[in-house]
C-alpha cells in the first residue's frame, strides 16, 4: 500500500481537540481549488463531516453553558449570603444595651426593608438593587451608622460579591445549546465513526487512483494528524515525567 494515514491515537485526544482536528481538516481542504474536488462520494463525506462536527461543537458548548450556569448560581448564592449577614448584624445590634447602636440599627433596618426580597429577584434586577443598596449604605445618610455598628466590611462584601456575579453573568454563554440537549459522548463516537469511514475511503481511493484530488486531501489530513500526534506525545511525556518525579519524592 503506497498511501496510508499518519498514526494518531484518536481516543487520547481531549474533547476540545477532537473537534478541532476535524475542523482543521475541513478548513485545510477548503483551501484547495474547488475544481480539484470532483469525486461525489468525497464531497458527500466532507459535507456530512462538517455537519457532524458542527453538532459536536454545540454539545461541547452545552457543557460549557452548564458549567457556566453552575458558577453563576454559586456566585448568586455568595451575594445572597452577604446580604443575609448584613440583615443578621442589624438584628443583633437592635438588641444592644447601647442606645446609639439601637437607633443606628433601627435606621438601617428601615433602609433594608426597602430592599426586602431583593435576593429573590431575577439576576439582573438583583444586581441593580444591590448596587443601589450599597450606594445607600455608603451614603452620608447611613455611613456613620454603618461604621458605628462595625458593618463596613459586610457592606464591602456585598459590593464585591455583586461585582463578581455581574462580571461572570456578563460573560455568560447565550447559545442554542442552552435550550437543546446534546449527548457529547455519543456525538463524539458518531463523529469519529464517520471520520474513520471518510479517511479509509480517501486512502483506498488514493491507492486505487493516485489522483491529485485524493493525494492533496490525504497530505493535508496527514499533516494535521502528525501535528496532533506530536501534541499527544508531548503531553504524555510531561505526564510520565511528573509521575516519575512523584515516585522519586516518595522514595
Amino acid at each position: 500500500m503506497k498511501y496510508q494515514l499518519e498514526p494518531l491515537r484518536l481516543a487520547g485526544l481531549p474533547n476540545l481537540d477532537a473537534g478541532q482536528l476535524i475542523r482543521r481538516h475541513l478548513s485545510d481542504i477548503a483551501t484547495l481549488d474547488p475544481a480539484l474536488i470532483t469525486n461525489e462520494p468525497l464531497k458527500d463525506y466532507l459535507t456530512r463531516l462538517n455537519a457532524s462536527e458542527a453538532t459536536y461543537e454545540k454539545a461541547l458548548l452545552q457543557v460549557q453553558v452548564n458549567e457556566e450556569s453552575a458558577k453563576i448560581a454559586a456566585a448568586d448564592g455568595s451575594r445572597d449570603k452577604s446580604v443575609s449577614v448584613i440583615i443578621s448584624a442589624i438584628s443583633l445590634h437592635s438588641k444592644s444595651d447601647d442606645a446609639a447602636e439601637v437607633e443606628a440599627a433601627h435606621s438601617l433596618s428601615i433602609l433594608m426593608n426597602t430592599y426586602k426580597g431583593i435576593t429573590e429577584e431575577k439576576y439582573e434586577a438583583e444586581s441593580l438593587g444591590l448596587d443601589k443598596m450599597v450606594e445607600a449604605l455608603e451614603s452620608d445618610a447611613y455611613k456613620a451608622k454603618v461604621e458605628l455598628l462595625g458593618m463596613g466590611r459586610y457592606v464591602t462584601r456585598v459590593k464585591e460579591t455583586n461585582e463578581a456575579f455581574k462580571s461572570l453573568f456578563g460573560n455568560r454563554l447565550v447559545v442554542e445549546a442552552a435550550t437543546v440537549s446534546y449527548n457529547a459522548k455519543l456525538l463524539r463516537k458518531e463523529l469519529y465513526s464517520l471520520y474513520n469511514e471518510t479517511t479509509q475511503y480517501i486512502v483506498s481511493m488514493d491507492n486505487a487512483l493516485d489522483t491529485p484530488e485524493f493525494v492533496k486531501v490525504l497530505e493535508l489530513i496527514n499533516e494535521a494528524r502528525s501535528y496532533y500526534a506530536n501534541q499527544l506525545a508531548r503531553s504524555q511525556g510531561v505526564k510520565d515525567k511528573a509521575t516519575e518525579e512523584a515516585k522519586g519524592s516518595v522514595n
Side-chain angles (χ1 to χ4, degrees):
M1 180 179 286
K2 182 178 178 181
Y3 295 102
Q4 57 186 7
L5 283 173
E6 282 289 328
L8 174 60
R9 189 168 59 87
L10 296 175
L13 292 175
N15 284 333
L16 185 59
D17 286 351
Q20 288 178 339
L21 171 66
I22 307 299
R23 189 161 63 250
R24 173 169 171 175
H25 286 331
L26 294 169
S27 298
D28 288 347
I29 294 172
T31 64
L32 297 174
D33 183 353
L36 184 66
I37 309 297
T38 60
N39 183 268
E40 291 302 324
L42 175 58
K43 289 181 181 179
D44 180 62
Y45 272 125
L46 295 177
T47 299
R48 289 164 58 196
L49 264 182
N50 187 63
S52 183
E53 191 280 328
T55 303
Y56 178 67
E57 287 293 318
K58 289 179 180 179
L60 293 185
L61 202 51
Q62 182 182 60
V63 172
Q64 290 178 270
V65 169
N66 291 339
E67 292 176 349
E68 198 76 3
S69 297
K71 291 178 182 177
I72 288 173
D76 181 53
S78 293
R79 65 179 184 173
D80 289 352
K81 185 175 181 180
S82 68
V83 173
S84 69
V85 169
I86 283 186
I87 294 174
S88 295
I90 292 174
S91 177
L92 179 64
H93 284 94
S94 68
K95 299 177 177 62
S96 172
D97 57 1
D98 185 308
E101 289 184 354
V102 172
E103 189 280 327
H106 177 68
S107 178
L108 290 173
S109 179
I110 293 175
L111 171 65
M112 292 302 292
N113 278 335
T114 305
Y115 299 95
K116 186 176 182 180
I118 186 64
T119 59
E120 304 302 321
E121 294 286 349
K122 291 182 178 180
Y123 285 155
E124 296 95 329
E126 181 176 348
S127 296
L128 181 60
L130 292 182
D131 281 338
K132 291 182 178 179
M133 187 181 83
V134 168
E135 183 180 348
L137 289 168
E138 292 181 336
S139 69
D140 291 339
Y142 295 97
K143 186 175 182 180
K145 295 179 176 63
V146 169
E147 291 178 351
L148 174 64
L149 302 184
M151 291 172 49
R153 61 193 178 103
Y154 301 144
V155 176
T156 298
R157 179 61 179 163
V158 172
K159 181 191 295 186
E160 291 176 345
T161 55
N162 194 37
E163 288 302 320
F165 174 88
K166 289 192 292 181
S167 176
L168 190 61
F169 189 72
N171 294 326
R172 70 193 186 283
L173 298 171
V174 182
V175 291
E176 180 185 354
T179 57
V180 180
S181 179
Y182 296 97
N183 185 326
K185 185 176 181 180
L186 176 61
L187 287 173
R188 171 169 172 156
K189 182 178 179 181
E190 292 175 347
L191 174 63
Y192 272 93
S193 176
L194 176 59
Y195 173 67
N196 288 330
E197 186 180 333
T198 302
T199 52
Q200 287 169 16
Y201 175 76
I202 292 170
V203 171
S204 296
M205 293 299 288
D206 234 337
N207 283 292
L209 303 178
D210 196 16
T211 57
E213 175 179 15
F214 288 100
V215 170
K216 289 292 185 181
V217 169
L218 184 59
E219 283 179 354
L220 292 174
I221 288 176
N222 277 338
E223 182 180 340
R225 287 174 66 95
S226 178
Y227 170 80
Y228 278 93
N230 289 334
Q231 290 290 98
L232 268 180
R234 192 174 297 114
S235 176
Q236 187 60 50
V238 171
K239 290 180 181 178
D240 291 343
K241 183 178 179 181
T243 299
E244 289 300 318
E245 290 178 349
K247 289 180 179 179
S249 65
V250 172
N251 295 333

